[in-house]
């Protein structure tokens, strides 16, 4: 997977990404990061990349030309036009299924805005996806781009040590994950649930599934509407008092 990030703060992207799991995947060559400084493509002698908005109003707007030149440089050796994600609070809200879809791509381009916005004409020309990370406004697109890149990276085969762990986790089947326990067997007077100490794999799996269902019902009941539920699951949810099943 090749990530290309068009940004005014390439160091923020490099430092944010080159740590922990994603840093190891960069070192292994499973991921590549191309953080492109839009300012390098300014033809202005003061390296300006923004100007006042036509029509007046507060703040500055990023100019189209430096972004167009940076983009052309990024795509010049690609065989097909990549997906270009403009990170903006006006976009579709990012979720796990979008991460799964994006993880199939060979190249992803992220465009990070700053100031009041980006000239609409360059967005119309290059952007394929408008994506937000939630209904709040940040100072720029770098943190949202890093959030999305992290979520996509861990779905790239080999990036996680244990491939299983990307599969059986929160949002698998649209359910939240069951709780986890490790040593010691007793902590502050609380024991690890006996079933986990039993060594009985069938009972452990059943307990974990029920915990997933219970936790999803308590914390994110909205997810149950689209969860992949078996008839056993539905029976258990009814026992918990959930009534919204067909
Ligand atoms: N830029 C500023 N706020 C944002 C958000 N919530 N999501 C994506 N990009 C943004």
């Amino acid at each position: 997977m090749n990530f290309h990030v068009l940004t005014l703060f390439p160091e923020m992207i490099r430092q944010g990404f080159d740590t922990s799991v994603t840093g190891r995947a960069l070192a292994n060559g499973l991921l590549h990061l191309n953080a492109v400084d839009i300012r390098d493509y300014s033809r202005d002698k003061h390296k300006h990349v923004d100007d006042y908005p036509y029509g007046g109003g507060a703040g500055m707007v990023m100019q189209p030309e430096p972004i167009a030149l940076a983009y052309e440089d990024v795509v010049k050796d690609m065989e097909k036009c990549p997906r270009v994600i403009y990170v903006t609070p006006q976009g579709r809200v990012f979720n796990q299924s979008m991460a799964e879809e994006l993880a199939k791509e060979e190249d992803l381009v992220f465009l990070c805005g700053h100031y009041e916005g980006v000239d609409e004409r360059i967005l119309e020309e290059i952007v394929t996806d408008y994506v937000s990370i939630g209904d709040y406004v940040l100072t720029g697109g770098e943190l949202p781009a890093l959030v999305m890149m992290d979520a996509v990276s861990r779905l790239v085969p080999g990036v996680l040590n244990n491939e299983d762990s990307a599969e059986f986790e929160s949002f698998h089947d649209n359910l939240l994950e069951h709780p986890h326990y490790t040593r010691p067997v007793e902590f502050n007077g609380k024991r690890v649930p006996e079933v986990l100490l039993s060594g009985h794999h069938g009972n452990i799996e059943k307990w974990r599934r029920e915990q997933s269902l219970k936790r999803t019902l308590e914390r994110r009941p909205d997810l149950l509407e689209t969860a992949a539920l078996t008839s056993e699951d539905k029976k258990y949810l009814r026992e918990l008092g959930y009534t919204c099943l067909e």
Side-chain angles (χ1 to χ4, degrees):
M1 167 67 71
N2 306 311
F3 293 112
H4 309 265
V5 187
L6 309 181
T7 169
L8 293 173
F9 300 96
E11 273 317 303
M12 186 172 172
I13 296 290
R14 288 188 198 112
Q15 287 181 9
F17 203 63
D18 195 7
T19 31
S20 182
V21 174
T22 49
R24 187 185 62 206
L26 284 175
N28 291 341
L30 290 165
L31 302 176
H32 295 100
L33 175 64
N34 178 22
V36 178
D37 191 344
I38 295 169
R39 204 174 291 283
D40 290 345
Y41 295 85
S42 168
R43 292 211 262 225
D44 182 272
K45 71 170 186 280
H46 300 293
K47 294 275 170 201
H48 283 145
V49 287
D50 60 325
D51 211 327
Y52 295 97
Y54 277 120
M60 304 291 270
V61 176
M62 284 172 71
Q63 294 172 293
E65 193 191 44
I67 297 172
L69 294 173
Y71 171 77
E72 278 160 27
D73 210 12
V74 158
V75 299
K76 67 179 186 303
D77 297 321
M78 290 185 198
E79 277 165 21
K80 61 169 193 151
C81 285
R83 280 178 81 164
V84 180
I85 296 150
Y86 177 47
V87 287
T88 166
Q90 297 184 6
R92 203 151 57 99
V93 178
F94 188 65
N95 62 21
Q96 190 66 20
S97 54
M98 286 162 82
E100 282 162 21
E101 192 192 308
L102 295 175
K104 295 178 193 146
E105 300 290 322
E106 177 90 14
D107 290 280
L108 286 176
V109 179
F110 290 88
L111 171 60
C112 303
H114 255 269
Y115 313 122
E116 279 309 297
V118 173
D119 188 291
E120 191 68 18
R121 291 163 296 179
I122 188 63
L123 300 178
E124 286 169 6
E125 222 161 272
I126 67 170
V127 171
T128 60
D129 301 80
Y130 292 80
V131 188
S132 167
I133 60 161
D135 291 337
Y136 42 83
V137 181
L138 301 168
T139 56
E142 284 73 17
L143 289 172
L146 284 167
V147 164
M148 293 181 215
M149 288 157 61
D150 189 287
V152 169
S153 294
R154 57 192 295 292
L155 301 174
V156 171
V159 168
L160 293 184
N161 271 334
N162 174 2
E163 288 238 22
D164 287 349
S165 57
E167 232 180 283
F168 299 102
E169 61 184 8
S170 291
F171 300 114
H172 182 67
D173 283 350
N174 227 23
L175 293 174
L176 301 184
E177 206 182 8
H178 56 78
H180 300 275
Y181 297 88
T182 187
R183 283 196 284 194
V185 97
E186 190 171 318
F187 173 72
N188 282 356
K190 291 181 171 177
R191 267 184 77 74
V192 170
E194 288 307 321
V195 63
L196 299 179
L197 310 173
S198 69
H200 190 300
H201 294 295
N203 287 351
I204 291 171
E205 280 318 302
K206 181 167 183 283
W207 180 86
R208 286 184 167 161
R209 184 74 183 180
E210 289 178 354
Q211 291 294 313
S212 277
L213 293 162
K214 186 162 176 268
R215 183 160 277 203
T216 310
L217 178 60
E218 283 166 4
R219 298 184 186 179
R220 292 290 309 276
D222 56 301
L223 293 178
L224 290 175
E225 286 162 31
T226 45
L229 299 174
T230 65
S231 49
E232 279 280 283
D233 294 339
K234 290 180 187 172
K235 185 165 166 268
Y236 180 68
L237 283 168
R238 279 195 201 95
E239 282 167 25
L240 295 178
Y242 185 62
T243 51
C244 306
L245 294 163
E246 77 288 347

